[in-house]
Amino acid sequence: MIEKIIPWIKGKRVLLLGFGREGQSTYHVIKQAGGYASLDIADLASPAQRPDEEARWITGPGYQSCMDDYDVVFKSPGIVLEKPIEEYRCQILSQTEVFFQCFRDQIIGITGTKGKSTVTSLLYHILKNAGMDTMILGNIGIPALDHMEEVRPDTKIVFELSCHQLEYMTVSPHIGILVNIHEEHLDHYGTMEKYVAAKQNIFKNQKTDDILICNVQCLPESGTCPSMLIKAGVNEPGTDLSVAEEPDGTWIRFRGRAYRIPVDEIRLLGQHNYFDIGVVYGVCAILGMDDGAFTAGLKTYEPLPHRLQYLGERDGVRYYDDSISTICDTTIQALKTLKDTDTVLIGGMDRGIDYRELIEYLSECQVSHIILMEATGKRIYQEIYKFYPEFKDRPRLILAEHLEDGVRRAMQITRPGHSCVLSPAAASYGIFKNFEERGEVFARLVFHS
């Protein structure tokens, strides 16, 4: 299978732009394939150890200025190009682009601001559990080109896609899933319109016999989606794929099928997760899976860490890690799900997102203690006192400098028999390496202090 990438590199001067996990993966695959004229690497930082003395390294602030000296540039997802892509003479590719060019007919691609990792991992687990030949790749942390050799003609490829991977894509998956779009990554894109445009590449290059399952909250504009559109929603009338809370349970309805989610027998909590289950059910139904096989997989699925993850109990208080939460909506969903929350910890790096929706929800909710940390915590606190005189029960607001102070205060004030949840509604960058480290530090502070 690795020979499939040779047409892109044969006789070409090749540059890798970025040498993180994906850049290193691309390097090893291209080296193995061979046939290129040269293979060089450009990155802002100079690596501690260079894997190849033959390769030319371009590092430092001007590392992107050499791009047009090459025929082909493989760009890593997180790198922001300094010019519009059409201004470069070189061909700019990515791992994802090349992999999709090879296997797009077998790919189920999933994107969204929140929930995409849950949908990706749940779909993979249920397909695998049902005995299907399947693999999981992409933004979930598994570089695609590393696994080209494992793809067989019947393999179903479940592929998580970030906005950065989609930004310059010219090919879309056979089945696309757009879970939702919320305000996010504006520090990278500058405008919401550019961020939305990146996400919409999940469907813009689909064909007429392809499928898009899309949340009704972010439907494509008329005429922009060439594939079959399946509208999905929670308690939304007129949807093709409906998730509805009814007196006798939560039901998924799709193409004449009705399926009641066994909420008391699964580990995924909350309405947002029931929507994710609904979307996965839709894909499984399209692939011909029966309800028994779907239920068997759903019941054995273990949720990903840091996504409203129950950590345990200490001194009668139940602690939950929702460190994945970097926007208002996910914190609101966490508090709607954990109805016994006595204390919530909010705050992190400030990327300038609008916190009005969260402030208005916090004013009305029954949470007794709202601990506000870091730059966004301070900003929320100041905005409430300046612009929201009607905010209910302001003494609930507690300022804390960092997570350590916030946890110490939470452990003092949270009432036994209730829950305490870390759901920051903000990024972790500049404070922690990533949201995973933030969640791990929270658990350590709670149980090992």
Side-chain angles (χ1 to χ4, degrees), residues 21-22 77-78 95-96 100 109-118 120-121 136-144 158-166 185 199 304 307 324 429 435-436:
R21 180 190 293 177
E22 185 164 309
Q95 270 218 21
T96 309
F100 272 54
I110 300 105
T111 197
T113 307
K114 292 295 166 189
K116 60 184 177 292
S117 293
T118 296
T120 301
S121 59
I136 184 169
L137 297 173
N139 188 61
I140 204 149
I142 306 170
V158 182
F159 203 113
E160 181 183 323
L161 290 154
S162 70
C163 52
H164 304 312
Q165 288 171 310
L166 284 165
H185 296 297
K199 286 291 189 191
L304 295 167
R307 293 156 172 84
I324 186 73
Y429 310 126
F435 74 84
E436 290 96 340

Side-chain angles (χ1 to χ4, degrees), residues 80-186:
V80 182
L81 293 177
E82 292 170 355
K83 299 187 293 187
I85 195 166
E86 57 272 9
E87 292 184 18
Y88 292 93
R89 292 193 306 274
C90 58
Q91 182 183 17
I92 298 175
L93 294 172
S94 65
Q95 270 218 21
T96 309
E97 174 82 21
V98 170
F99 189 86
F100 272 54
Q101 291 283 2
C102 296
F103 302 112
R104 60 140 255 131
D105 291 347
Q106 296 172 245
I107 296 174
I108 303 157
I110 300 105
T111 197
T113 307
K114 292 295 166 189
K116 60 184 177 292
S117 293
T118 296
V119 171
T120 301
S121 59
L122 177 62
L123 177 58
Y124 169 74
H125 174 80
I126 291 176
L127 295 181
K128 193 83 174 168
N129 196 71
M132 290 192 185
D133 178 7
T134 185
M135 61 198 308
I136 184 169
L137 297 173
N139 188 61
I140 204 149
I142 306 170
L145 294 187
D146 287 356
H147 298 272
M148 287 182 77
E149 300 288 331
E150 299 161 34
V151 181
R152 292 184 286 271
D154 295 328
T155 305
K156 298 283 183 278
I157 303 164
V158 182
F159 203 113
E160 181 183 323
L161 290 154
S162 70
C163 52
H164 304 312
Q165 288 171 310
L166 284 165
E167 189 169 8
Y168 301 115
M169 286 284 281
T170 64
V171 58
S172 298
H174 171 53
I175 298 177
I177 300 172
L178 182 51
V179 183
N180 51 48
I181 299 180
H182 298 287
E183 193 176 64
E184 178 86 303
H185 296 297
L186 298 193

Side-chain angles (χ1 to χ4, degrees), residues 235-288:
N235 298 325
E236 293 266 9
T239 52
D240 306 304
L241 198 166
S242 162
V243 180
E245 293 178 21
E246 298 176 16
D248 60 341
T250 302
W251 288 83
I252 302 166
R253 301 186 189 280
F254 179 59
R255 292 185 173 177
R257 293 168 64 159
Y259 176 81
R260 188 167 67 85
I261 299 175
V263 294
D264 296 331
E265 301 175 70
I266 61 175
R267 295 169 182 83
L268 283 171
L269 302 171
Q271 191 183 79
H272 58 301
N273 281 319
Y274 299 154
F275 174 80
D276 295 345
I277 292 168
V279 166
V280 171
Y281 180 85
V283 175
C284 291
I286 289 165
L287 296 178

Side-chain angles (χ1 to χ4, degrees), residues 204-222:
K204 280 185 179 170
N205 298 293
Q206 283 188 311
K207 301 172 184 177
T208 53
D209 58 349
D210 291 335
I211 295 167
L212 174 69
I213 300 176
C214 186
N215 192 325
V216 290
Q217 297 170 354
C218 53
L219 291 174
E221 289 183 24
S222 179

